């Protein structure tokens, strides 16, 4: 059996498709499918410039299709990967959590824990279950404000004490 240039494209398609297992972005899979289609074109006997042109055309069609159409179908609902810190969370309400190993107060944004700081008072520790409104990130710290119901409850509970 003689080596055919189509085999090279098939090997490239296989390697790209296997590499997709490490990324999950669907880009490498789209390139792998484009390489497999280029192998089919190569089997028709086209020269290298036509092979490269067909690879470019297939990739130009399949990569956007894979990223914009196929990838969202494999992502969990309600999770916008890659958007944390861009401002899409601004104004969302979160419930504070205490981290197990150091009892740090924080919130979970898209599944990741972020320590908090209250904008009004500078507090970094709140009781677990406190409702806060996310404003923005400052480094890896989530800057939040207390929800109006929590601030009213706190002022009623301790009317003469305010933290500075």
């Amino acid at each position: 059996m003689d080596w055919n240039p189509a085999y090279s494209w098939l090997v490239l398609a296989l390697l790209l498709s296997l590499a997709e297992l490490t990324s999950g972005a669907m880009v490498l899979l789209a390139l792998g499918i484009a390489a497999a289609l280029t192998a089919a074109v190569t089997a028709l006997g086209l020269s290298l410039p036509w092979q490269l042109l067909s690879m470019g055309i297939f990739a130009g069609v399949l990569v956007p299709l894979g990223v914009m159409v196929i990838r969202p179908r494999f992502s969990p609902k309600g999770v916008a990967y890659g958007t944390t810190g861009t401002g899409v969370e601004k104004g969302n309400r979160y419930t504070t959590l205490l981290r197990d190993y150091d009892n740090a107060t924080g919130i979970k944004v898209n599944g990741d824990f972020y320590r908090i700081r209250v904008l009004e008072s500078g507090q970094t520790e709140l009781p677990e279950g406190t409702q806060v409104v996310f404003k923005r990130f400052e480094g890896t710290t989530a800057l939040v404000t207390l929800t109006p119901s929590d601030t009213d409850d706190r002022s009623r509970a301790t009317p003469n004490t305010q933290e500075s």
Side-chain angles (χ1 to χ4, degrees):
M1 177 169 115
D2 293 330
W3 188 258
N4 185 337
Y7 297 149
S8 299
W9 287 108
L10 286 174
V11 168
L12 180 64
L14 179 64
L15 291 174
L16 286 168
S17 299
L18 287 174
E20 176 61 38
L21 294 173
T22 64
S23 74
M26 294 297 173
V27 174
L28 295 175
L29 183 62
L31 289 173
I33 293 170
L37 292 173
T38 303
V41 169
T42 303
L44 298 174
L46 295 177
S47 63
L48 182 62
W50 287 105
Q51 294 172 29
L52 295 175
L53 181 66
S54 65
M55 177 64 180
I57 291 170
F58 290 140
V61 171
L62 292 174
V63 169
L65 183 73
V67 170
M68 293 187 297
V69 177
I70 297 171
R71 183 174 60 180
R73 297 186 193 281
F74 291 98
S75 297
K77 298 284 185 237
V79 177
Y81 292 110
T83 62
T84 303
T86 61
V88 297
E89 303 88 6
K90 185 176 181 179
N92 289 349
R93 290 177 178 248
Y94 294 94
T95 304
T96 59
L97 305 165
L98 292 179
R99 193 164 45 191
D100 291 336
Y101 63 90
D102 64 353
N103 286 329
T105 304
I107 58 175
K108 278 202 170 188
V109 179
N110 288 340
D112 294 322
F113 183 88
Y114 294 94
R115 294 184 76 141
I116 63 161
R117 187 171 73 231
V118 180
L119 283 171
E120 298 89 6
S121 63
Q123 287 178 289
T124 58
E125 295 181 10
L126 294 173
E128 187 171 16
T130 304
Q131 292 290 317
V132 294
V133 177
F134 175 80
K135 293 300 180 183
R136 67 179 186 275
F137 283 108
E138 187 173 274
T140 60
T141 302
L143 301 180
V144 299
T145 59
L146 296 172
T147 58
S149 62
D150 283 342
T151 55
D152 292 344
D153 292 343
R154 287 180 184 280
S155 63
R156 277 189 237 121
T158 54
N160 295 328
T161 58
Q162 290 185 348
E163 294 185 32
S164 53

